[in-house]
Amino acid sequence: MTFLRSLCCLLLLACSVQAVEVVVHSSVSETTLSTAQLRAIFTMRQTRWTDGQAIQVFVLQSDHPHHQRFSRDKLKMFPYQLDAIWSRQRYSGIGSFPMQVDSASELLLLLETTPGAIGYLPTDTLSSNLRVVTINEK
């Protein structure tokens, strides 16, 4: 019975984490990305938008519930896999880490004020200064 109660609590906690949306700064012209493009951007392999503007990637800390939701739902990978990719690229000298922040409010501020920025936010913190990007599951 204790196991069942614990399982129910875990399910409720998992459901309580809000959905997240991929958002970009208003200067970014892209309105749709494929899952493959999104992965390329967040694994730091794609560094420029189609118009040549530099991409600035912002994320929450890896243990943050919104980051975990984003990784699983949008990138279709686990957060530890994303961390491993960033570390491998950083230490091999072919890439870097994205800018990591501690809170959704800090993430919102950076996304609103940084041209070329991309990140994700919970649906209740979206801003009219940002554009939500549609993700095609290709």
Side-chain angles (χ1 to χ4, degrees):
M1 190 65 158
T2 305
F3 174 74
L4 185 58
R5 189 173 301 143
S6 297
L7 183 61
C8 288
C9 288
L10 285 174
L11 287 173
L12 285 174
L13 284 173
C15 293
S16 68
V17 176
Q18 288 185 334
V20 295
E21 295 290 342
V22 175
V23 293
V24 294
H25 184 269
S26 58
S27 67
V28 176
S29 59
E30 275 81 351
T31 57
T32 304
L33 294 170
S34 69
T35 301
Q37 288 172 303
L38 192 64
R39 277 186 181 177
I41 290 169
F42 278 90
T43 58
M44 311 304 285
R45 290 183 320 222
Q46 181 178 336
T47 59
R48 300 224 168 254
W49 295 109
T50 54
D51 64 2
Q53 180 177 205
I55 298 174
Q56 300 295 320
V57 179
F58 294 100
V59 297
L60 292 165
Q61 299 293 329
S62 295
D63 61 348
H64 195 286
H66 296 312
H67 178 77
Q68 293 174 358
R69 183 80 177 235
F70 165 75
S71 296
R72 285 190 322 266
D73 294 353
K74 304 296 183 185
L75 297 179
K76 310 296 185 208
M77 60 192 331
F78 292 107
Y80 75 85
Q81 292 172 304
L82 195 53
D83 287 340
I85 291 168
W86 293 335
S87 294
R88 189 170 40 251
Q89 289 178 336
R90 171 71 178 194
Y91 297 121
S92 66
I94 61 171
S96 62
F97 289 102
M99 171 72 118
Q100 291 185 332
V101 298
D102 295 323
S103 68
S105 59
E106 187 179 357
L107 186 57
L108 173 63
L109 178 64
L110 286 168
L111 289 167
E112 287 180 325
T113 58
T114 308
I118 186 170
Y120 49 86
L121 290 168
T123 53
D124 70 341
T125 59
L126 296 178
S127 161
S128 61
N129 298 330
L130 299 172
R131 190 172 315 148
V132 174
V133 176
T134 304
I135 308 302
N136 288 332
E137 307 268 337
K138 290 182 183 178

